[in-house]
Amino acid sequence: MVGLYLGTSSGALLNNFDTKRIEVLRGPQGTLFGKNTTGGVVNVIRGDVTMDWNGDFSVTLGDDGREDIKGVLNVPIVDEKLGVKLFANQIKSDGWVKNVTINEDAFGDDKKTYGFAALWRPTDNFDIKLHYEHNEDETDTGATVNVSQAGPGQDLDCILDGVWPAPSCAATDKRADEDHTTANDRNYNDSEYDTVILTMNWDVGPGVITSITGNRDMDEQYRFEFDGGGHEFLYFDYLNEWEQFSQELRFTSNFSGNFQLVGGLYYWEVDYLQDWDVYQLLYTLDRTGTLVPGLPPGAAGFTENTVSRNGQAQDTTSYAAFAQGDWQVSEKWTLTAGIRYTYEEKDFTGGNGIVYTKVPGEPRPEFETLDFEDDWSEPTGKLGFTYDFSDETMIFGSWAQGFKSGGFFGRQATFDGFDPTYDPEYVENWELGMKSTWMDGRMIFNPTIFFNDYEDKQEDILIFNSTSDVATVIRNVGELEIWGIELEWQYQLTEAWNIRANYGYLDAEYKDYTADLNGDGIETDNTDLRPRNTPENTFGFSTTYTAEIGPGELVGVLSYRWRDE
């Protein structure tokens, strides 16, 4: 995001209405960017501050109450010296899921973004850009559907069927399907994000020195209905606070010879706090006599106002130095080598939670916490080449190492008997591909084959701890291998008609996965499990036709995407 690494998935789904281009880079990229990565980089490049009067505005209307308004306006202040870009958008919809319990549409959109970017160029070799962006998101965090199963070992919702006024089990809850939910309330969301990025570029002759200073604050509060039934059974109120600061200092060469260099230093610091309340669960378990074996229903004395509170906090500090050089050996051959050193430390505080009776107007009680801390460091490298067969065809290949530090997984109800610590993850990536144009530039064909070898792959799993607690922990996989093929094809049939297609194949397999996955203290062989999010085949096709109509254009787009389970 304009040179800023987003350190959490929260708020990472950007409203990309002011986008110049998006770069997708596969594999470890730590020798080229400030923050280290293992899987790759999605680099979003925003539109320029042009210092000329121009704008881009659009309105989109659709079914389910869809209303999108987007606008970008460039304003010159001082000719060729100072300019401002203003941007704003709003995305709204009622939602395509009907909540038949509260008789409202659900899973709608409600997002707002506004901000500015100011560019000052006091001299020909120095410029400063300040980017500020504010995001508000009140979009529902999903629409929960009741899928509780009856029968032997049946879910608790089905045990309660007939006890609650509304149907509890999916077998009797006939109103719930893929378009309808019977949840007793919405999964509301109230989140705000503020981002400030200051970028300075100084052309010193042999190269450009770049400084990128970034700060991002996030405040999130949302409710989640876990059971999906039409009664008060189990719901969470979450509160997350996140603040990150980063500073990158980078030198990009502009040497006159056949060698070019990118190198820099990077500092990243993040503090997060998460807090949540769990409602109705203990009261429900107490009423049914399933909270503690042997206790009759209601013996624990929990009420509808009984709440379980928990939370965690963590401070992370990361330092890195990186460099990557390209040496043009000949007119056709270019060799690449890079190196990186990363050091990261984390201080984590986890809570074992507390049960209390909520009284309106009174503060929530504090709970017992446990402290953990650790640090990790690792050097990583990259080697690569490109070979230009011609002006239209280039072959490339690379080997790269990736490193993701260990840490402490925080989102669990108790740390008694569960160590939240997990070890670092390592990956080696091999890649070989071609980029080519044919038929005087009318056709593009880019095939790539790649192989990833993970050691100590980090995977999160659920472990049953008690009737009222399922703990999430991260375990390190011994070894995971992924190899695949990607084919990209594009053809310009006529000046107005364009066709694109892509195909991907993945073969992902655990070679060694020995770990305790159910919390009984016994490590088992789990190599037969299939890694998540690794569909074997994916395919995409799109075609665009542009027709000139008077002073404007009429554009038709047809697209199709498919992926395996």
Side-chain angles (χ1 to χ4, degrees):
M1 180 182 179
V2 201
L4 178 70
Y5 167 75
L6 300 182
T8 176
S9 59
S10 296
L13 295 178
L14 306 173
N15 298 333
N16 293 316
F17 63 98
D18 174 32
T19 303
K20 183 178 180 180
R21 67 180 185 275
I22 297 178
E23 301 172 344
V24 181
L25 307 176
R26 186 191 302 107
Q29 301 293 330
T31 62
L32 195 59
F33 293 91
K35 194 70 177 74
N36 56 305
T37 67
T38 55
V41 169
V42 178
N43 192 21
V44 180
I45 311 297
R46 291 293 180 86
D48 295 330
V49 180
T50 64
M51 297 191 185
D52 295 318
W53 281 104
N54 58 70
D56 184 7
F57 305 93
S58 69
V59 176
T60 302
L61 302 176
D63 57 4
D64 297 318
R66 168 65 66 186
E67 297 178 0
D68 298 352
I69 303 174
K70 307 175 183 180
V72 180
L73 178 64
N74 269 286
V75 180
I77 306 298
V78 179
D79 186 36
E80 300 298 327
K81 294 290 185 181
L82 179 63
V84 175
K85 179 184 68 176
L86 308 175
F87 55 87
N89 90 320
Q90 176 177 281
I91 298 177
K92 294 182 70 70
S93 72
D94 298 330
W96 54 272
V97 178
K98 183 71 173 183
N99 188 314
V100 296
T101 298
I102 61 177
N103 195 30
E104 294 180 6
D105 293 325
F107 208 8
D109 292 304
D110 190 355
K111 302 176 183 179
K112 300 181 183 69
T113 299
Y114 59 83
F116 71 90
L119 176 62
W120 180 39
R121 190 175 292 129
T123 66
D124 292 339
N125 61 354
F126 183 73
D127 63 72
I128 302 176
K129 183 170 74 172
L130 176 64
H131 177 100
Y132 169 75
E133 183 172 322
H134 177 79
N135 305 88
E136 298 177 7
D137 189 356
E138 297 183 7
T139 300
D140 290 348
T141 58
T144 314
V145 176
N146 188 353
V147 294
S148 300
Q149 299 298 311
Q154 62 186 338
D155 293 332
L156 186 58
D157 268 14
C158 297
I159 297 176
L160 297 173
D161 213 11
V163 177
W164 301 109
S168 304
C169 196
T172 56
D173 194 358
K174 300 299 185 181
R175 301 174 300 166
D177 55 33
E178 61 182 11
D179 298 316
H180 300 83
T181 176
T182 56
N184 58 281
D185 207 343
R186 308 179 69 96
N187 291 327
Y188 77 81
N189 171 32
D190 186 5
S191 302
E192 294 189 5
Y193 311 88
D194 287 286
T195 305
V196 179
I197 306 170
L198 180 65
T199 305
M200 296 184 287
N201 294 292
W202 182 25
D203 190 342
V204 293
V208 177
I209 298 175
T210 300
S211 171
I212 304 175
T213 307
N215 193 85
R216 183 170 169 87
D217 291 332
M218 303 181 353
D219 291 294
E220 301 175 318
Q221 184 174 1
Y222 56 95
R223 168 187 172 125
F224 196 82
E225 289 280 343
F226 263 74
D227 58 285
H231 51 267
E232 292 281 8
F233 171 31
L234 171 59
Y235 69 92
F236 281 50
D237 274 342
Y238 286 100
L239 174 65
N240 294 330
E241 297 179 3
W242 172 284
E243 181 177 2
Q244 73 171 61
F245 171 83
S246 62
Q247 175 62 57
E248 181 173 350
L249 189 63
R250 184 175 66 229
F251 173 78
T252 305
S253 72
N254 188 24
F255 302 147
S256 58
N258 57 358
F259 178 77
Q260 302 297 335
L261 173 71
V262 175
L265 302 172
Y266 186 73
Y267 173 81
W268 188 69
E269 181 180 5
V270 60
D271 301 328
Y272 84 76
L273 170 67
Q274 58 184 14
D275 209 333
W276 71 80
D277 287 334
V278 182
Y279 292 86
Q280 298 294 321
L281 178 60
L282 294 177
Y283 171 60
T284 301
L285 297 174
D286 186 24
R287 287 184 63 189
T288 58
T290 57
L291 182 63
V292 178
L295 282 183
F302 293 132
T303 70
E304 292 179 325
N305 296 320
T306 299
V307 180
S308 301
R309 183 197 175 197
N310 209 336
Q312 292 83 33
Q314 181 170 277
D315 298 334
T316 301
T317 304
S318 179
Y319 307 87
F322 60 96
Q324 179 171 306
D326 294 319
W327 177 31
Q328 188 173 359
V329 181
S330 65
E331 184 178 348
K332 293 182 176 293
W333 283 96
T334 299
L335 302 181
T336 299
I339 190 169
R340 176 189 181 89
Y341 180 79
T342 304
Y343 171 84
E344 192 159 296
E345 59 185 25
K346 297 180 180 179
D347 297 307
F348 173 77
T349 298
N352 280 335
I354 190 171
V355 177
Y356 71 101
T357 300
K358 185 175 182 178
V359 178
E362 291 190 3
R364 298 189 302 171
E366 298 297 325
F367 49 81
E368 177 190 1
T369 60
L370 298 173
D371 296 327
F372 303 85
E373 63 179 18
D374 208 340
D375 60 79
W376 305 266
S377 61
E378 183 74 13
T380 53
K382 178 178 181 178
L383 297 173
F385 74 90
T386 62
Y387 179 77
D388 295 323
F389 272 108
S390 64
D391 293 338
E392 294 80 23
T393 305
M394 182 263 285
I395 302 293
F396 65 91
S398 67
W399 165 85
Q401 295 174 308
F403 162 77
K404 183 163 64 173
S405 71
F408 313 98
F409 195 84
R411 185 165 288 181
Q412 53 196 64
T414 178
F415 293 92
D416 285 336
F418 291 97
D419 185 357
T421 306
Y422 53 89
D423 294 326
E425 172 183 293
Y426 308 90
V427 62
E428 291 189 61
N429 169 266
W430 288 263
E431 188 171 359
L432 181 65
M434 179 179 74
K435 294 186 179 296
S436 62
T437 59
W438 306 76
M439 303 173 63
D440 296 325
R442 292 179 59 190
M443 186 174 76
I444 295 175
F445 178 59
N446 299 330
T448 304
I449 183 170
F450 59 91
F451 176 75
N452 294 326
D453 184 5
Y454 285 89
E455 290 188 9
D456 296 328
K457 180 75 169 63
Q458 296 167 1
E459 298 278 13
D460 59 285
I461 60 173
L462 297 176
I463 290 180
F464 177 80
N465 186 31
S466 68
T467 306
S468 60
D469 175 27
V470 177
T472 303
V473 297
I474 286 186
R475 295 288 187 252
N476 290 91
V477 176
E479 186 175 350
L480 168 65
E481 292 183 356
I482 302 175
W483 77 271
I485 298 172
E486 290 189 357
L487 305 176
E488 177 188 359
W489 177 78
Q490 181 174 328
Y491 184 58
Q492 194 75 33
L493 280 170
T494 67
E495 186 176 348
W497 192 4
N498 180 272
I499 299 177
R500 299 181 182 89
N502 60 76
Y503 168 76
Y505 173 82
L506 273 184
D507 181 14
E509 182 180 0
Y510 291 117
K511 293 299 183 180
D512 180 17
Y513 190 176
T514 304
D516 170 20
L517 299 187
N518 59 14
D520 61 3
I522 300 175
E523 293 188 346
T524 57
D525 182 4
N526 306 282
T527 53
D528 59 327
L529 296 178
R530 180 175 179 84
R532 70 187 72 184
N533 298 321
T534 57
E536 186 173 8
N537 297 281
T538 57
F539 173 75
F541 172 85
S542 67
T543 180
T544 304
Y545 189 87
T546 304
E548 302 287 342
I549 298 180
E553 295 178 340
L554 178 64
V555 180
V557 179
L558 177 66
S559 63
Y560 172 80
R561 291 185 298 171
W562 176 84
R563 56 179 262 172
D564 271 340
E565 296 181 355

